[in-house]
Amino acid sequence: MLGSEAVAGGESAGELLLRAAAMVPAERYALAVAFLVAAFLYRFLELHVIGDILGGFRGGRVELTFHPASEIYHHVASKCRSLHGRYLATPWLASPHLQTLFLGISGRPPSFTYKRQLYTVRDGGTVALDWLLSSDLDVGYVADADGFISKDASTPLVVVVPGLTSDSAAAYVKHMVYSIASKGWNVVVSNHRGLGGVAITSDCFYNGGWTEDIREVIKYLHHRYPKTPLFCVGTSIGANIVVKYLGEEGKNTPLAGAASICSPWDLLIGDRFISRKLVQRIYDKALAIGLKGYAKLHQPVLARLANWEGIRKSRSIREFDHHATCVVARYETVDTYYRRCSSASFVGNVSVPLLCINALDDPLCTREAIPWDECRANKNIVLATTPNGGHLAFFQGLTAGRLWWVGATSEFLFALHESSYMHRQKANDHVLHSSLESSIDKSPYVNIMEDGMVAPVTKDGSGDTDGSASNDEVDGVQLSNGASPSQQLEVSGEKHIEHASGAGNESPADPANRQGEIYSNKLHEIIAPVKRSINQLTRYQGRSVWLLAYIAFATSWPLLGSLAFITFRKKSRNPLRAK
């Protein structure tokens, strides 16, 4: 007894601990390691299986944010069961990362074939429009000569704008397109430049705030199908573009309604978020690889316009934007690009019924960027948020065959179409905003875009393409501010006179000759602007030449006659004084 105590007393505490640890079976250690790994993965992957089990697999409630007096909510969104229910994710995809990963790898999209139309925008760029017509084409359907819908068709048309480096072949896009088309509507996917297998045909690339392409496509569709109600659905970066476009256009857009799915809202906040944690940095690198793949497809153009070596070495979205987007689009810094292109700044001016859907666990678009107050202050916006869903995923059912946001969006658009709250563009909302004087400076064959790029105007993109007629239109010529043609010519002439009066004229020795020359110069200054205006308008709209010529003559002959009489009288007095 004493001997054993002596032996034990001779060992250190560390030796005793090791001896005790050796007595534990190896299976217990394996179980402990597995538990630690599972806890780490549960935390790292943001799994919510336990929460779903404890909640009885009822799912999370859909939270709606809207203005208390919003008619869009009370008469449209209130009729949508999807927006007033719950969302339960597929049990084996109970993680935003698993949902997003599964959507990118498989997504289980429906199988169908698009009809492609290539549309050339004003600056020479090419946009691929991929069409899917309704499934019941044989029921009251009349095909157009080009194989698409009839020009007199009244079936609603939905324009879908994909996300970053995505096109019409993406799984989530095909889910949305098929869902809309199977319910009797027509759908067209407006692919970004350089995507969908189409080459870059101009020196302009799309970016997170590039709204010129969708603006021109919507104008073209409205002009070609004037009786067709137009709706638009934007996804991810496409949602940012759509919301920004709606804010820029205000009431002047021909869209009857729209939807924004998983928009990043604030690109600057999103940039900070995606580089914050390890898992977000993985997404950042994956998206940068996709952007570099897009750039490699168009290397001959980008190598000439941007820093190709920097693009090739980019390891994040921010680095790619620094070497490519900011150089091509001429932004001073990356933060400047992010600030100017964030759709959150344009939410207040949205005048079209808009449904916005975001998941609070989105691994790419953080909830911190959602403009809660701005959406609540706008009566046209209904914001729906769910606790789970990932990025553009929202898988439902045991087989993950459906996307919740697709059904919710379809239900909202159909309810909007059946209501009396669709946005309708007024006939005089889209008048040419340039005055006669500005059109003379710019010429009808040149369009100066917002980013300063000068591009030729083609037949598809010139003028007022929405087919609306203004009250201020006179024989095919539209004038701004409601001014009559004579008033426009008079104002233009006055501006040219002020510009020309800055140059000094040499005075002759004879005062009478000096006065006569001054009157002649003034007469020339009056006639020259009118002549240039008529020449300009002749190129712009030949139908109104004779009317404008008549108006110019009728309004200017009293002034011309009086100047000629005064000149003749002065000259007739000079010989008498000399005699």
Side-chain angles (χ1 to χ4, degrees):
M1 184 71 178
L2 295 176
S4 62
E5 290 179 356
V7 174
E11 294 180 345
S12 64
E15 293 176 348
L16 291 175
L17 183 62
L18 290 176
R19 179 181 295 182
M23 298 174 62
V24 178
E27 293 80 4
R28 301 286 181 88
Y29 287 108
L31 184 61
V33 171
F35 177 80
L36 293 177
V37 171
F40 171 78
L41 291 178
Y42 193 91
R43 181 74 175 176
F44 182 78
L45 297 177
E46 301 179 44
L47 293 167
H48 48 82
V49 174
I50 298 178
D52 293 342
I53 295 174
L54 296 178
F57 289 103
R58 292 188 303 164
R61 184 182 297 276
V62 180
E63 298 292 340
L64 298 180
T65 302
F66 54 89
H67 192 280
S70 173
E71 295 180 342
I72 304 301
Y73 170 76
H74 292 293
H75 298 280
V76 179
S78 61
K79 300 179 180 179
C80 301
R81 297 183 59 184
S82 300
L83 299 178
H84 292 81
R86 295 174 175 270
Y87 165 67
L88 175 64
T90 300
W92 50 277
L93 292 175
S95 163
H97 307 293
L98 294 180
Q99 290 210 51
T100 305
L101 182 62
F102 182 75
L103 179 66
I105 295 177
S106 173
R108 296 186 177 178
S111 179
F112 57 85
T113 303
Y114 293 104
K115 293 181 180 179
R116 169 152 293 189
Q117 176 188 4
L118 295 180
Y119 178 75
T120 303
V121 295
R122 290 179 293 177
D123 61 6
T126 304
V127 175
L129 302 179
D130 290 334
W131 292 76
L132 181 66
L133 306 182
S134 57
S135 58
D136 53 346
L137 301 179
D138 297 334
V139 181
Y141 175 76
V142 180
D144 197 1
D146 58 4
F148 300 104
I149 62 178
S150 171
K151 293 182 179 180
D152 298 327
S154 59
T155 303
L157 175 63
V158 179
V159 183
V160 179
V161 184
L164 187 68
T165 67
S166 296
D167 53 24
S168 58
Y172 64 89
V173 174
K174 301 187 77 172
H175 275 284
M176 181 67 201
V177 170
Y178 185 80
S179 175
I180 294 291
S182 63
K183 296 176 182 178
W185 287 14
N186 299 315
V187 192
V188 58
V189 181
S190 179
N191 294 285
H192 300 296
R193 298 188 184 202
L195 292 172
V198 178
I200 292 291
T201 56
S202 69
D203 289 349
C204 187
F205 287 74
Y206 87 98
N207 56 58
W210 179 255
T211 57
E212 294 302 320
D213 288 349
I214 189 61
R215 177 179 290 107
E216 191 164 344
V217 167
I218 290 175
K219 284 183 179 180
Y220 159 73
L221 293 173
H222 179 64
H223 176 71
R224 186 170 182 83
Y225 312 108
K227 298 181 181 180
T228 300
L230 289 177
F231 299 88
C232 188
V233 178
T235 57
S236 190
I237 203 67
N240 187 79
I241 294 174
V242 169
V243 175
K244 183 173 180 285
Y245 158 76
L246 294 176
E248 291 172 345
E249 292 295 302
K251 296 182 179 180
N252 295 329
T253 176
L255 290 178
S260 164
I261 314 299
C262 295
S263 172
W265 295 108
D266 193 312
L267 302 183
L268 188 60
I269 295 178
D271 172 66
R272 304 295 190 265
F273 171 76
I274 205 170
S275 58
R276 184 181 303 169
K277 297 180 180 180
L278 174 62
V279 64
Q280 270 72 41
R281 289 196 292 269
I282 294 175
Y283 284 109
D284 193 12
K285 291 184 179 180
L287 291 174
I289 292 174
L291 288 171
K292 289 194 292 184
Y294 166 77
K296 192 173 183 179
L297 293 174
H298 312 290
Q299 180 177 353
V301 181
L302 269 178
R304 175 170 53 86
L305 299 176
N307 181 9
W308 178 252
E309 189 63 23
I311 293 174
R312 190 179 63 83
K313 295 180 180 180
S314 298
R315 309 183 77 177
S316 65
I317 299 177
R318 185 179 182 87
E319 292 181 5
F320 180 89
D321 288 335
H322 174 71
H323 296 294
T325 307
C326 292
V327 177
V328 176
R330 299 177 183 177
Y331 289 104
E332 294 84 355
T333 63
V334 178
D335 285 356
T336 302
Y337 158 57
Y338 290 157
R339 288 191 179 95
R340 293 183 182 178
C341 294
S342 296
S343 60
S345 304
F346 298 85
V347 171
N349 200 38
V350 173
S351 303
V352 171
L354 174 65
L355 172 66
C356 304
I357 296 178
N358 280 86
L360 299 182
D361 65 348
D362 193 320
L364 295 177
C365 303
T366 174
R367 59 189 297 176
E368 301 170 9
I370 299 177
W372 304 91
D373 293 338
E374 290 84 349
C375 292
R376 186 180 293 107
N378 193 323
K379 296 181 180 180
N380 298 298
I381 297 179
V382 175
L383 172 63
T385 56
T386 59
N388 312 120
H391 187 68
L392 295 173
F394 296 87
F395 284 104
Q396 280 184 308
L398 293 176
T399 60
R402 293 176 292 116
L403 307 184
W404 174 85
W405 68 265
V406 170
T409 303
S410 304
E411 191 177 9
F412 175 82
L413 295 181
F414 276 80
L416 178 62
H417 180 253
E418 295 174 356
S419 70
S420 59
Y421 294 93
M422 286 194 304
H423 174 262
R424 289 177 174 85
Q425 183 184 21
K426 295 181 180 180
N428 58 352
D429 274 352
H430 202 71
V431 184
L432 287 176
H433 59 273
S434 59
S435 64
L436 180 62
E437 185 268 336
S438 62
S439 66
I440 293 174
D441 293 340
K442 296 179 182 177
S443 148
Y445 305 106
V446 175
N447 176 57
I448 299 180
M449 307 179 72
E450 293 181 358
D451 57 357
M453 181 176 60
V454 179
V457 178
T458 61
K459 292 182 179 180
D460 292 335
S462 62
D464 189 6
T465 58
D466 62 356
S468 60
S470 171
N471 295 329
D472 301 330
E473 184 170 353
V474 181
D475 195 18
V477 178
Q478 292 177 335
L479 305 175
S480 62
N481 301 326
S484 64
S486 60
Q487 291 172 339
Q488 289 286 334
L489 289 174
E490 185 176 352
V491 172
S492 179
E494 289 175 358
K495 289 187 177 181
H496 281 281
I497 289 172
E498 292 175 359
H499 179 72
S501 63
N505 295 325
E506 295 294 334
S507 301
D510 191 353
N513 293 335
R514 177 183 176 184
Q515 291 180 356
E517 188 170 344
I518 290 175
Y519 287 126
S520 299
N521 291 336
K522 289 186 176 181
L523 181 63
H524 175 72
E525 291 172 355
I526 293 174
I527 295 176
V530 176
K531 184 177 179 181
R532 285 195 296 269
S533 301
I534 293 177
N535 292 335
Q536 180 70 15
L537 292 171
T538 300
R539 297 198 305 270
Y540 185 73
Q541 192 66 268
R543 296 178 300 173
S544 60
V545 173
W546 295 110
L547 175 62
L548 291 176
Y550 169 76
I551 294 174
F553 175 76
T555 55
S556 60
W557 73 264
L559 180 61
L560 298 178
S562 61
L563 290 176
F565 175 76
I566 294 173
T567 304
F568 174 77
R569 187 176 180 181
K570 291 291 184 179
K571 289 185 178 180
S572 63
R573 288 180 178 179
N574 290 338
L576 295 177
R577 291 179 179 178
K579 289 180 180 181

